[in-house]
Each structure stands twice: as C-alpha cells, then as structure tokens.
Amino acid sequence: MKYSALSLLTNAFSGHKKWPLQWPDATPKKSYDVIIVGGGGHGLGAAYYLAKKHGITNVAVIEKGWLGGGNTGRNTTIIRSNYLYDESARIYDHAVDLWDGLSQEINYNVMFSKRGVLMLAHSVHDVQSFQRHIHANRLNGVDNRWLSTEEAKAFCPPLNISKDARYPILGAALQQRAGTARHDSVAWGYARAAAALGVDIIQNCAVTGIKRGPDGAVKGVETERGFIGTKKIGVSAAGNSSVIMEMAGLRFPLESYPLQALVSEPVKPVMPCVVMSNSVHAYISQSDKGELVIGAGTDQYVSYSQRGALHIIEETLASICEIFPLFKRMRMLRSWGGVVDVTPDRSPILGKTPVSGLYVNCGWGTGGFKATPGAADLLAHTIAKDEPHPINVPYNLERFTGGRLIDEAAAAAVAH
Amino acid sequence: MLLIRCPYCEEDRPEIEFSYGGEAHIARPLNPDELSDEQWAEYLFIRSNRRGLHHERWLHAHGCARFFNALRDTVSDKFEMTYKMGEPRAQVKK
C-alpha cells in the first residue's frame, strides 16, 4: 500500500484500525542469493538498494533482536558531512545527497530536517582547526561556513557567549545542509520498502556461525533457526561486527565501546538547530516531541553491555549546563548506551574481505547514523558487482596493512 | 561506574581513578626491522575485541600510578580478577 494523504484520509474513516502490516515477518527459506547480517538502517537499506537498484530480490536480512534496536535506535540522529579528508567528503556527502530524497524514495517520512549543525570553537586551536575544515570542505564542494560569536548566537539564541564563560565561544562552523532525522522511521521505512520488493526480514534470529566451502568461499550462515545457504553475505552488524567476522576466521582492527545518550523531559521549541561541542563532548538537539536529545563521549573500555558509566553523562551534562545555562533546571528522563565499533583511524571499513563472498560494512564508530543511506547504497553496490564503488574503494581493509589510513579527526565523541 | 581492584593498592576504587590501557599482553616486537607489513598491522591495529572474557590493561592514574592487568567480562562488565604486571596471563576458565 502506498502511503499518501488519500490513504490517510481513507483510513481515518475506519478509525485507523485497518492499516495493513508494514512488512511480514518472514520464515527463513533454505537459501538466498544474498544474506545481510544485521537489521539496522545500514543492513535494511543495503537489502533495499540490492532489490531496487541491482534487481537482486532473493535477499534475507537476519537480525538477532528487533529491527533498528541496535545503534540505529540508540544514536542522537545527527546528520552532517563536514569531514576533513577528500575520501570522507565523498562518502558522507553521498549519504546526505541520499537523505535529501529518502522520504519520497521509500514512501516513508523519515523526517529529515535540515535545521543546521553548529560546531562550537572554544579555543584558538578549535578556531584554526574548524577553519581548516571549512576550507577543505569548500574545495570538495561540501557545505560548511564560519560564523562569528555573534552570528552563532543569532543562529542559536540559547548559547551562552559570555566572555568569562567556562567554555567561551570564539565562533562556530555551520553546515546548514545538515540536521536530524527520525531514526526508527529509517529502519522501518527501509524494511517496508525492501519487503515490498521481495526481501525477507527475519527478526529474533542470531547468526551463530559462517559456513565456508573447501575453496574458502562462503556457503551460508548457521542461525538460531537453522542453516541458511547463500553465496554472498553482507555483514552490517555495528558493535558486533568483529564477533561475526571471527566466525569466518577473520580478525579485524575494531574495538567496541559503549556510547551513551540521554533525553530530557519534553518542552516547547527552544533549540533551533543541532549544536556540537567536540572538545567537551556535548552534542545536543531537540526532537520533534520536544525532548532535548543529548549525546556523550564514549566510555573508555571495550564493552558489549549497551550501558555506560554515570560519570560520563554527568560530564556531558556539566558541559551542556555551561554552554546553555537556561537548561540547568531541565530534568533528564532516560539514558541508554549503544555499542560502537571504532577503527584505529576512525573511518569505516566498507568493501570486500579476504573471504570470497563475504562483504563488510563496519567501523562507523560514533558516526554511523548519518551515513545510513550512503553506506547501504555502497554495500549493495559492492555485493552486487563483487567490487567496490569508487567512493568506497579507499575504505578497504588493506589500508591497515598498506598504511594509507583515513585519519579522520572530525569524528565526534571519541578522544582522538 | 566500575569498581576496580588495584592489585598494588589492594583496594576496590571507583573507575574515575583509573584510565583504560587497551588490550593486555601485546608485546612490542623485539625485531622491528624484520617484520612484514602484515605483522606490523597485527601488532598495531588488530585487536581481539572479545565478547566475553577480555584481558586488558588499566592504569591507576589517580592512585599508585601503576599499570596492571585485568580479566573482565565485556558483556556484564564484571571483573574476574586483576593482577600485577609481569604475572602470567590469567587463564580463562571454560
């Protein structure tokens, strides 16, 4: 069923009780052309683009929990592309290009809002580094511009620009084209669009092993619901990527850390944009429900627990209260953690692996949500053509042996 | 917040006194000139990232300022044991 104003009206007459299921819960078949491991935005999106752009519809997405229950549903939904290096500019801007038309493309409102992302400079070093980013972005055709302290205040009135503030604001970089989206909608929208094209979506079914033939190529996956055959596996498992890779005998340059976020009680519109302060690990925006959505830095140790320590969010809230004194009396409602897979150079690994038929999309660390449509599209391309797209060629696994790292210091939330 | 037992101070202390030192028992190569690119990549970048019992280093930064090793479950975040530098790698009970 196509969602439209007309379908909304029609269903209003039946009290919204007759909407069909958005996608059926599939029972696994014996085999598929492609299996995607991980039912977050990246994995579901890859299945969608495989079916839509490459005509491969005999695809299953296997998820151990529920759709979008991992990092897709645990991030702070910031979308931006003002990264420093050429390789990063291409991959993140590709994603923002796709975000632009995504709601129409998948007929599902992902609420992409280009409200602008403001990155605060608190020191001379920040100013110099952000201006370098702005110039690099300009050369790459990526939107990003410098705002003076007063311009930043005009753009985001809650900011405290007092000169004797603990974190003085010396200016800010603004990417107007950046913003936020509704994260659950991204997973659900891709799931619905992929299922409509014939993709099977299998939830509550953990992958427990990867089976390989005598020639080393993949033959299928062992799951909690039995063996499923396939010649191509795309792994998009975020924090658990290295666990899946080990099933195929591969060791990856990844470490998984907790990353926490929290929301306040809902209030009337007060934050017109997204504000990021990388030097004090404070990331804040306001959701359409009215909650302040706040992101913290990573915890320091490797963990799969999906929770972190209180002192981390305490430090972030201390920074938020310094930068936005008006939020001092807000009460926080919920906090949670996700497991982020961080690479040594803070850039993702997206491409083929040494195992024939095994493809990977991992290492997005603290910034995977913004890349969702781009990463999904590139993973689908890599699987369908058995070779990477020019945009993801540099994001190969071999760079850690060859030394051509993409040392992306614009990545947020991780000490770098 | 984790409670961590420093094997030197012999006390359980809060996590904010410590800083994490990454995976333990990764020895710097003694023959750097002879290593291949693959071996360097293994030493520098590849980590076990174990889901389960994980050997790791901690530094009691705001205490005795000494490094020690620990065995911790990365799913529950529970410490199995901590032990002094130079002591043999803790055995994982199956």
Side-chain angles (χ1 to χ4, degrees):
Chain A
M1 164 182 230
K2 191 168 163 57
Y3 292 156
S4 64
L6 185 67
S7 69
L8 190 63
L9 188 67
T10 317
N11 279 282
F13 287 114
S14 51
H16 294 296
K17 284 178 181 160
K18 293 188 177 164
W19 287 101
L21 280 181
Q22 298 195 14
W23 63 85
D25 213 7
T27 313
K29 290 194 276 186
K30 278 211 167 80
S31 72
Y32 291 92
D33 291 344
V34 178
I35 288 177
I36 304 287
V37 180
H42 285 233
L44 292 162
Y48 167 74
Y49 291 114
L50 275 171
K52 180 77 179 178
K53 289 174 92 168
H54 305 283
I56 303 170
T57 56
N58 187 21
V59 176
V61 178
I62 303 182
E63 164 59 43
K64 75 168 173 177
W66 66 96
L67 296 191
N71 293 352
T72 299
R74 292 167 186 269
N75 61 78
T76 51
T77 78
I78 299 173
I79 295 165
R80 63 184 178 93
S81 61
N82 49 353
Y83 284 68
L84 180 63
Y85 292 110
D86 298 354
E87 296 89 344
S88 314
R90 281 193 285 274
I91 203 165
Y92 289 102
D93 229 26
H94 177 59
V96 177
D97 288 343
L98 290 174
W99 276 114
D100 242 342
L102 191 60
S103 292
Q104 284 72 29
E105 162 141 19
I106 59 177
N107 183 225
Y108 208 101
N109 190 359
V110 300
M111 302 184 188
F112 177 41
S113 147
K114 286 187 259 189
R115 58 186 68 180
V117 170
L118 205 58
M119 296 175 85
L120 302 179
H122 299 298
S123 63
V124 174
H125 173 82
D126 280 354
V127 172
Q128 290 169 345
S129 146
F130 285 1
Q131 294 203 341
R132 181 181 172 216
H133 278 69
I134 288 169
H135 291 308
N137 288 157
R138 184 165 48 79
L139 292 173
N140 277 316
V142 174
D143 167 42
N144 200 11
R145 69 190 165 94
W146 180 252
L147 298 187
S148 69
T149 307
E150 291 70 28
E151 287 168 334
K153 172 81 177 170
F155 191 78
C156 181
L159 283 179
N160 172 21
I161 57 164
S162 151
K163 281 206 169 48
D164 35 349
R166 183 170 176 192
Y167 306 119
I169 295 166
L170 307 185
L174 170 66
Q175 187 174 34
Q176 181 66 67
R177 186 176 184 227
T180 59
R182 167 113 173 85
H183 46 16
D184 294 329
S185 286
V186 177
W188 299 336
Y190 271 132
R192 173 170 167 272
L197 294 169
V199 171
D200 276 1
I201 291 166
I202 303 160
Q203 301 182 65
N204 297 312
C205 177
V207 168
T208 53
I210 291 178
K211 200 170 173 196
R212 295 168 66 186
D215 58 345
V218 301
K219 290 186 76 176
V221 292
E222 299 285 355
T223 75
E224 290 175 337
R225 287 157 76 174
F227 176 76
I228 311 173
T230 188
K231 288 200 168 73
K232 290 183 169 185
I233 303 172
V235 177
S236 213
N240 284 295
S241 296
S242 65
V243 177
I244 303 282
M245 283 309 171
E246 207 173 301
M247 294 174 188
L250 295 177
R251 300 185 71 216
F252 259 57
L254 289 173
E255 286 194 297
S256 299
Y257 296 96
L259 180 63
Q260 298 182 78
L262 64 164
V263 293
S264 73
E265 58 193 330
V267 289
K268 286 186 176 179
V270 59
M271 277 291 288
C273 60
V274 180
V275 173
M276 302 180 52
S277 176
N278 292 34
S279 30
V280 293
H281 284 326
Y283 311 92
I284 182 168
S285 65
Q286 189 171 18
S287 74
D288 293 329
K289 267 193 290 185
E291 304 154 326
L292 295 178
V293 182
I294 298 169
T298 52
D299 279 72
Q300 53 179 342
Y301 48 82
V302 166
S303 176
Y304 292 84
S305 62
Q306 293 190 319
R307 63 175 63 98
L310 186 64
H311 66 97
I312 301 284
I313 52 182
E314 223 173 359
E315 281 160 20
T316 288
L317 286 176
S319 310
I320 295 280
C321 291
E322 288 291 337
I323 300 169
F324 304 99
L326 120 116
F327 297 154
K328 271 187 182 164
R329 286 162 63 198
M330 294 276 290
R331 281 161 296 189
M332 295 297 138
L333 284 191
R334 292 176 286 126
S335 78
W336 64 91
V339 182
V340 298
D341 46 331
V342 177
T343 58
D345 62 357
R346 307 298 187 253
S347 287
I349 302 168
L350 174 44
K352 298 172 73 167
T353 68
V355 173
S356 174
L358 185 64
Y359 307 85
V360 71
N361 168 35
C362 68
W364 287 97
T366 57
F369 179 72
K370 64 173 75 69
T372 304
D377 179 41
L378 297 168
L379 178 62
H381 180 101
T382 308
I383 294 173
K385 311 278 186 205
D386 193 34
E387 62 181 358
H389 187 281
I391 295 177
N392 65 309
V393 167
Y395 292 93
N396 54 50
L397 180 61
E398 292 73 37
R399 72 178 189 269
F400 297 100
T401 312
R404 198 178 171 79
L405 303 184
I406 307 162
D407 198 8
E408 192 47 80
V414 266
H416 198 279
Chain B
M1 189 184 298
L2 305 177
L3 264 185
I4 305 173
R5 184 166 189 83
C6 172
Y8 294 102
C9 304
E10 295 181 342
E11 266 187 80
D12 293 327
R13 305 295 299 173
E15 182 195 336
I16 45 169
E17 289 188 11
F18 298 83
S19 57
Y20 183 66
E23 188 173 348
H25 303 294
I26 297 175
R28 187 176 172 82
L30 295 172
N31 49 346
D33 296 349
E34 294 157 32
L35 255 55
S36 66
D37 288 354
E38 286 71 24
Q39 288 168 315
W40 270 118
E42 174 77 22
Y43 165 67
L44 290 172
F45 301 131
I46 307 291
R47 295 293 178 264
S48 69
N49 200 28
R50 188 82 57 222
R51 189 186 167 97
L53 291 174
H54 185 245
H55 292 87
E56 58 195 22
R57 298 187 303 176
W58 285 85
L59 170 65
H60 196 182
H62 301 289
C64 61
R66 285 204 266 188
F67 271 100
F68 58 91
N69 288 326
L71 185 63
R72 183 177 55 91
D73 189 323
T74 58
V75 179
S76 63
D77 287 339
K78 186 169 178 256
F79 280 89
E80 287 291 312
M81 63 182 295
T82 56
Y83 52 104
K84 292 175 184 168
M85 278 292 160
E87 289 179 10
R89 182 186 169 93
Q91 293 300 308
V92 177
K93 280 176 241 126
K94 292 279 176 186

Short mmCIF file of all heavy atoms in Angstrom, two decimals, chain B residues 36-77:
data_model
loop_
_atom_site.label_atom_id
_atom_site.label_comp_id
_atom_site.label_asym_id
_atom_site.label_seq_id
_atom_site.Cartn_x
_atom_site.Cartn_y
_atom_site.Cartn_z
N SER B 36 57.12 -8.00 8.64
CA SER B 36 56.43 -7.68 7.38
C SER B 36 55.31 -6.67 7.68
O SER B 36 54.98 -6.42 8.84
CB SER B 36 55.82 -8.95 6.81
OG SER B 36 54.80 -9.42 7.67
N ASP B 37 54.74 -6.11 6.63
CA ASP B 37 53.62 -5.17 6.81
C ASP B 37 52.47 -5.84 7.56
O ASP B 37 51.82 -5.22 8.40
CB ASP B 37 53.12 -4.66 5.45
CG ASP B 37 54.10 -3.69 4.81
OD1 ASP B 37 55.09 -3.33 5.48
OD2 ASP B 37 53.88 -3.31 3.65
N GLU B 38 52.21 -7.11 7.22
CA GLU B 38 51.11 -7.84 7.88
C GLU B 38 51.36 -7.96 9.37
O GLU B 38 50.46 -7.79 10.19
CB GLU B 38 50.93 -9.23 7.27
CG GLU B 38 50.29 -9.27 5.89
CD GLU B 38 51.20 -8.75 4.79
OE1 GLU B 38 52.45 -8.77 4.96
OE2 GLU B 38 50.67 -8.29 3.75
N GLN B 39 52.62 -8.25 9.73
CA GLN B 39 52.94 -8.39 11.15
C GLN B 39 52.83 -7.06 11.89
O GLN B 39 52.37 -7.01 13.03
CB GLN B 39 54.33 -9.01 11.32
CG GLN B 39 54.35 -10.48 10.94
CD GLN B 39 55.76 -11.02 10.81
OE1 GLN B 39 56.63 -10.39 10.19
NE2 GLN B 39 56.00 -12.21 11.37
N TRP B 40 53.22 -5.97 11.22
CA TRP B 40 53.07 -4.65 11.85
C TRP B 40 51.60 -4.32 12.04
O TRP B 40 51.20 -3.80 13.09
CB TRP B 40 53.74 -3.56 10.99
CG TRP B 40 55.17 -3.33 11.35
CD1 TRP B 40 56.23 -3.50 10.53
CD2 TRP B 40 55.69 -2.92 12.61
NE1 TRP B 40 57.40 -3.22 11.20
CE2 TRP B 40 57.10 -2.85 12.49
CE3 TRP B 40 55.11 -2.60 13.84
CZ2 TRP B 40 57.93 -2.48 13.55
CZ3 TRP B 40 55.94 -2.23 14.89
CH2 TRP B 40 57.34 -2.17 14.74
N ALA B 41 50.78 -4.61 11.00
CA ALA B 41 49.34 -4.34 11.11
C ALA B 41 48.76 -5.12 12.28
O ALA B 41 47.97 -4.59 13.06
CB ALA B 41 48.63 -4.71 9.81
N GLU B 42 49.18 -6.36 12.42
CA GLU B 42 48.70 -7.21 13.51
C GLU B 42 49.06 -6.59 14.87
O GLU B 42 48.22 -6.48 15.75
CB GLU B 42 49.33 -8.61 13.37
CG GLU B 42 49.06 -9.58 14.51
CD GLU B 42 47.66 -10.18 14.48
OE1 GLU B 42 47.05 -10.18 13.39
OE2 GLU B 42 47.19 -10.60 15.54
N TYR B 43 50.31 -6.14 15.00
CA TYR B 43 50.75 -5.56 16.26
C TYR B 43 50.06 -4.23 16.56
O TYR B 43 49.61 -3.96 17.68
CB TYR B 43 52.28 -5.37 16.25
CG TYR B 43 52.77 -4.47 17.36
CD1 TYR B 43 52.68 -4.88 18.69
CD2 TYR B 43 53.31 -3.23 17.08
CE1 TYR B 43 53.11 -4.04 19.71
CE2 TYR B 43 53.75 -2.39 18.10
CZ TYR B 43 53.65 -2.80 19.41
OH TYR B 43 54.06 -1.97 20.42
N LEU B 44 49.97 -3.37 15.53
CA LEU B 44 49.46 -2.02 15.75
C LEU B 44 47.94 -1.94 15.85
O LEU B 44 47.40 -1.21 16.66
CB LEU B 44 49.92 -1.09 14.61
CG LEU B 44 51.39 -0.73 14.55
CD1 LEU B 44 51.70 0.03 13.27
CD2 LEU B 44 51.78 0.12 15.76
N PHE B 45 47.26 -2.68 14.98
CA PHE B 45 45.83 -2.41 14.78
C PHE B 45 44.87 -3.54 15.14
O PHE B 45 43.73 -3.28 15.52
CB PHE B 45 45.57 -2.03 13.32
CG PHE B 45 46.34 -0.82 12.85
CD1 PHE B 45 47.07 -0.85 11.68
CD2 PHE B 45 46.31 0.35 13.59
CE1 PHE B 45 47.77 0.27 11.25
CE2 PHE B 45 47.00 1.46 13.18
CZ PHE B 45 47.74 1.43 12.00
N ILE B 46 45.29 -4.78 14.95
CA ILE B 46 44.34 -5.88 15.14
C ILE B 46 44.17 -6.16 16.63
O ILE B 46 45.15 -6.31 17.35
CB ILE B 46 44.82 -7.16 14.43
CG1 ILE B 46 45.14 -6.86 12.95
CG2 ILE B 46 43.80 -8.27 14.55
CD1 ILE B 46 43.97 -6.55 12.08
N ARG B 47 42.92 -6.22 17.08
CA ARG B 47 42.64 -6.49 18.48
C ARG B 47 41.61 -7.61 18.58
O ARG B 47 40.81 -7.80 17.66
CB ARG B 47 42.09 -5.23 19.18
CG ARG B 47 43.10 -4.08 19.24
CD ARG B 47 44.27 -4.41 20.16
NE ARG B 47 45.27 -3.36 20.21
CZ ARG B 47 46.39 -3.34 19.48
NH1 ARG B 47 46.62 -4.31 18.60
NH2 ARG B 47 47.26 -2.38 19.61
N SER B 48 41.63 -8.32 19.70
CA SER B 48 40.70 -9.45 19.79
C SER B 48 39.27 -8.96 20.00
O SER B 48 38.33 -9.60 19.56
CB SER B 48 41.12 -10.40 20.91
OG SER B 48 40.92 -9.78 22.16
N ASN B 49 39.09 -7.80 20.66
CA ASN B 49 37.75 -7.23 20.86
C ASN B 49 36.76 -8.28 21.33
O ASN B 49 35.64 -8.37 20.85
CB ASN B 49 37.27 -6.59 19.55
CG ASN B 49 36.17 -5.57 19.77
OD1 ASN B 49 36.09 -4.94 20.82
ND2 ASN B 49 35.29 -5.42 18.79
N ARG B 50 37.19 -9.08 22.28
CA ARG B 50 36.45 -10.26 22.71
C ARG B 50 35.08 -9.93 23.31
O ARG B 50 34.97 -9.04 24.14
CB ARG B 50 37.30 -11.00 23.77
CG ARG B 50 36.78 -12.34 24.18
CD ARG B 50 37.14 -13.46 23.24
NE ARG B 50 38.56 -13.62 23.03
CZ ARG B 50 39.11 -13.86 21.83
NH1 ARG B 50 38.36 -13.95 20.76
NH2 ARG B 50 40.40 -14.02 21.72
N ARG B 51 34.07 -10.63 22.86
CA ARG B 51 32.76 -10.55 23.50
C ARG B 51 32.75 -11.65 24.56
O ARG B 51 32.55 -12.82 24.25
CB ARG B 51 31.65 -10.78 22.46
CG ARG B 51 30.26 -10.52 23.00
CD ARG B 51 29.18 -10.90 21.98
NE ARG B 51 27.90 -10.92 22.66
CZ ARG B 51 27.03 -9.91 22.67
NH1 ARG B 51 27.26 -8.84 21.98
NH2 ARG B 51 25.91 -10.02 23.35
N GLY B 52 33.04 -11.29 25.79
CA GLY B 52 33.23 -12.28 26.85
C GLY B 52 34.43 -11.87 27.67
O GLY B 52 34.67 -10.67 27.87
N LEU B 53 35.24 -12.84 28.10
CA LEU B 53 36.36 -12.50 28.97
C LEU B 53 37.51 -11.87 28.17
O LEU B 53 37.96 -12.42 27.17
CB LEU B 53 36.84 -13.75 29.71
CG LEU B 53 35.83 -14.25 30.76
CD1 LEU B 53 36.29 -15.57 31.37
CD2 LEU B 53 35.59 -13.21 31.84
N HIS B 54 37.94 -10.72 28.63
CA HIS B 54 38.86 -9.88 27.87
C HIS B 54 40.04 -9.51 28.76
O HIS B 54 39.85 -9.03 29.88
CB HIS B 54 38.09 -8.61 27.45
CG HIS B 54 38.85 -7.68 26.57
ND1 HIS B 54 39.21 -6.41 26.96
CD2 HIS B 54 39.31 -7.81 25.30
CE1 HIS B 54 39.86 -5.81 25.97
NE2 HIS B 54 39.93 -6.64 24.96
N HIS B 55 41.26 -9.75 28.28
CA HIS B 55 42.46 -9.33 29.02
C HIS B 55 42.75 -7.88 28.67
O HIS B 55 42.85 -7.55 27.49
CB HIS B 55 43.66 -10.19 28.62
CG HIS B 55 43.57 -11.61 29.06
ND1 HIS B 55 42.95 -12.58 28.29
CD2 HIS B 55 44.00 -12.24 30.18
CE1 HIS B 55 43.02 -13.75 28.92
NE2 HIS B 55 43.64 -13.57 30.07
N GLU B 56 42.92 -7.06 29.69
CA GLU B 56 43.13 -5.64 29.40
C GLU B 56 44.01 -4.98 30.45
O GLU B 56 44.20 -5.51 31.54
CB GLU B 56 41.78 -4.92 29.31
CG GLU B 56 40.98 -5.04 30.59
CD GLU B 56 39.51 -4.65 30.41
OE1 GLU B 56 39.02 -4.69 29.27
OE2 GLU B 56 38.88 -4.32 31.43
N ARG B 57 44.56 -3.84 30.08
CA ARG B 57 45.43 -3.09 30.99
C ARG B 57 44.65 -1.92 31.58
O ARG B 57 43.82 -1.30 30.89
CB ARG B 57 46.65 -2.54 30.25
CG ARG B 57 47.53 -3.60 29.64
CD ARG B 57 48.77 -2.98 29.08
NE ARG B 57 48.43 -1.96 28.07
CZ ARG B 57 49.34 -1.19 27.46
NH1 ARG B 57 50.61 -1.31 27.75
NH2 ARG B 57 48.96 -0.31 26.57
N TRP B 58 44.94 -1.61 32.82
CA TRP B 58 44.40 -0.41 33.45
C TRP B 58 45.54 0.32 34.13
O TRP B 58 46.50 -0.30 34.57
CB TRP B 58 43.31 -0.76 34.47
CG TRP B 58 42.01 -1.17 33.85
CD1 TRP B 58 41.68 -2.43 33.44
CD2 TRP B 58 40.87 -0.34 33.58
NE1 TRP B 58 40.41 -2.44 32.92
CE2 TRP B 58 39.89 -1.17 32.99
CE3 TRP B 58 40.58 1.01 33.77
CZ2 TRP B 58 38.64 -0.69 32.60
CZ3 TRP B 58 39.34 1.49 33.37
CH2 TRP B 58 38.38 0.65 32.80
N LEU B 59 45.41 1.63 34.20
CA LEU B 59 46.40 2.46 34.89
C LEU B 59 45.72 3.11 36.08
O LEU B 59 44.68 3.77 35.93
CB LEU B 59 46.93 3.54 33.94
CG LEU B 59 47.79 4.64 34.55
CD1 LEU B 59 49.10 4.07 35.09
CD2 LEU B 59 48.07 5.73 33.53
N HIS B 60 46.25 2.92 37.27
CA HIS B 60 45.66 3.55 38.46
C HIS B 60 46.19 4.99 38.53
O HIS B 60 47.00 5.34 39.40
CB HIS B 60 46.03 2.75 39.72
CG HIS B 60 45.17 3.11 40.90
ND1 HIS B 60 45.36 2.55 42.12
CD2 HIS B 60 44.13 3.97 41.02
CE1 HIS B 60 44.46 3.07 42.97
NE2 HIS B 60 43.72 3.94 42.33
N ALA B 61 45.70 5.82 37.60
CA ALA B 61 46.27 7.15 37.37
C ALA B 61 46.23 8.03 38.61
O ALA B 61 47.19 8.72 38.93
CB ALA B 61 45.54 7.82 36.21
N HIS B 62 45.08 8.04 39.29
CA HIS B 62 44.95 8.91 40.47
C HIS B 62 45.12 8.10 41.76
O HIS B 62 44.43 8.32 42.75
CB HIS B 62 43.59 9.62 40.45
CG HIS B 62 43.40 10.45 39.22
ND1 HIS B 62 44.09 11.62 39.00
CD2 HIS B 62 42.66 10.25 38.11
CE1 HIS B 62 43.74 12.12 37.83
NE2 HIS B 62 42.88 11.30 37.26
N GLY B 63 46.01 7.13 41.71
CA GLY B 63 46.30 6.32 42.89
C GLY B 63 47.79 6.08 42.91
O GLY B 63 48.59 7.02 42.99
N CYS B 64 48.17 4.82 42.71
CA CYS B 64 49.59 4.49 42.77
C CYS B 64 50.30 4.77 41.44
O CYS B 64 51.50 4.62 41.34
CB CYS B 64 49.76 3.03 43.15
SG CYS B 64 49.01 1.91 41.95
N ALA B 65 49.49 5.16 40.39
CA ALA B 65 50.05 5.48 39.07
C ALA B 65 50.77 4.30 38.43
O ALA B 65 51.74 4.49 37.70
CB ALA B 65 50.96 6.71 39.15
N ARG B 66 50.30 3.09 38.75
CA ARG B 66 50.94 1.92 38.13
C ARG B 66 49.96 1.19 37.21
O ARG B 66 48.76 1.15 37.47
CB ARG B 66 51.44 0.98 39.22
CG ARG B 66 52.70 1.54 39.87
CD ARG B 66 53.51 0.46 40.48
NE ARG B 66 53.19 0.31 41.89
CZ ARG B 66 53.89 -0.48 42.71
NH1 ARG B 66 54.90 -1.18 42.26
NH2 ARG B 66 53.54 -0.58 43.97
N PHE B 67 50.52 0.62 36.15
CA PHE B 67 49.73 -0.23 35.25
C PHE B 67 49.56 -1.60 35.87
O PHE B 67 50.46 -2.12 36.54
CB PHE B 67 50.46 -0.40 33.92
CG PHE B 67 50.13 0.66 32.90
CD1 PHE B 67 51.01 1.73 32.69
CD2 PHE B 67 48.97 0.59 32.15
CE1 PHE B 67 50.72 2.71 31.74
CE2 PHE B 67 48.68 1.56 31.21
CZ PHE B 67 49.55 2.62 31.00
N PHE B 68 48.39 -2.21 35.63
CA PHE B 68 48.20 -3.61 35.99
C PHE B 68 47.30 -4.25 34.94
O PHE B 68 46.74 -3.56 34.08
CB PHE B 68 47.59 -3.74 37.40
CG PHE B 68 46.27 -3.04 37.56
CD1 PHE B 68 45.07 -3.70 37.34
CD2 PHE B 68 46.23 -1.70 37.95
CE1 PHE B 68 43.86 -3.04 37.49
CE2 PHE B 68 45.00 -1.04 38.10
CZ PHE B 68 43.83 -1.72 37.87
N ASN B 69 47.16 -5.55 34.99
CA ASN B 69 46.32 -6.26 34.04
C ASN B 69 45.02 -6.70 34.71
O ASN B 69 44.96 -6.84 35.93
CB ASN B 69 47.04 -7.50 33.50
CG ASN B 69 48.15 -7.11 32.54
OD1 ASN B 69 48.03 -6.13 31.82
ND2 ASN B 69 49.23 -7.87 32.55
N ALA B 70 44.01 -6.93 33.87
CA ALA B 70 42.72 -7.37 34.40
C ALA B 70 42.08 -8.35 33.43
O ALA B 70 42.40 -8.37 32.24
CB ALA B 70 41.80 -6.17 34.61
N LEU B 71 41.20 -9.16 33.99
CA LEU B 71 40.37 -10.05 33.17
C LEU B 71 38.94 -9.64 33.47
O LEU B 71 38.48 -9.71 34.61
CB LEU B 71 40.63 -11.51 33.56
CG LEU B 71 39.90 -12.56 32.71
CD1 LEU B 71 40.36 -12.49 31.26
CD2 LEU B 71 40.16 -13.96 33.27
N ARG B 72 38.24 -9.15 32.43
CA ARG B 72 36.89 -8.61 32.64
C ARG B 72 35.95 -9.18 31.59
O ARG B 72 36.34 -9.41 30.44
CB ARG B 72 36.93 -7.07 32.53
CG ARG B 72 35.60 -6.38 32.80
CD ARG B 72 35.75 -4.86 32.73
NE ARG B 72 36.32 -4.47 31.45
CZ ARG B 72 35.59 -4.17 30.37
NH1 ARG B 72 34.29 -4.15 30.43
NH2 ARG B 72 36.19 -3.86 29.23
N ASP B 73 34.72 -9.40 31.98
CA ASP B 73 33.70 -9.87 31.04
C ASP B 73 33.11 -8.65 30.34
O ASP B 73 32.52 -7.79 31.00
CB ASP B 73 32.61 -10.64 31.80
CG ASP B 73 31.65 -11.34 30.85
OD1 ASP B 73 31.35 -10.75 29.80
OD2 ASP B 73 31.21 -12.45 31.16
N THR B 74 33.24 -8.58 29.02
CA THR B 74 32.80 -7.38 28.30
C THR B 74 31.29 -7.37 28.08
O THR B 74 30.76 -6.40 27.55
CB THR B 74 33.50 -7.24 26.94
OG1 THR B 74 33.24 -8.41 26.17
CG2 THR B 74 34.99 -7.05 27.10
N VAL B 75 30.59 -8.45 28.43
CA VAL B 75 29.13 -8.44 28.30
C VAL B 75 28.50 -7.92 29.60
O VAL B 75 27.59 -7.10 29.58
CB VAL B 75 28.59 -9.83 27.94
CG1 VAL B 75 27.07 -9.81 27.83
CG2 VAL B 75 29.19 -10.28 26.61
N SER B 76 29.02 -8.38 30.76
CA SER B 76 28.46 -7.94 32.05
C SER B 76 29.29 -6.81 32.67
O SER B 76 28.86 -6.22 33.65
CB SER B 76 28.44 -9.12 33.02
OG SER B 76 29.76 -9.56 33.27
N ASP B 77 30.46 -6.53 32.11
CA ASP B 77 31.42 -5.56 32.66
C ASP B 77 31.97 -5.98 34.02
O ASP B 77 32.56 -5.17 34.74
CB ASP B 77 30.82 -4.14 32.76
CG ASP B 77 30.67 -3.49 31.39
OD1 ASP B 77 31.36 -3.93 30.45
OD2 ASP B 77 29.86 -2.56 31.26
#
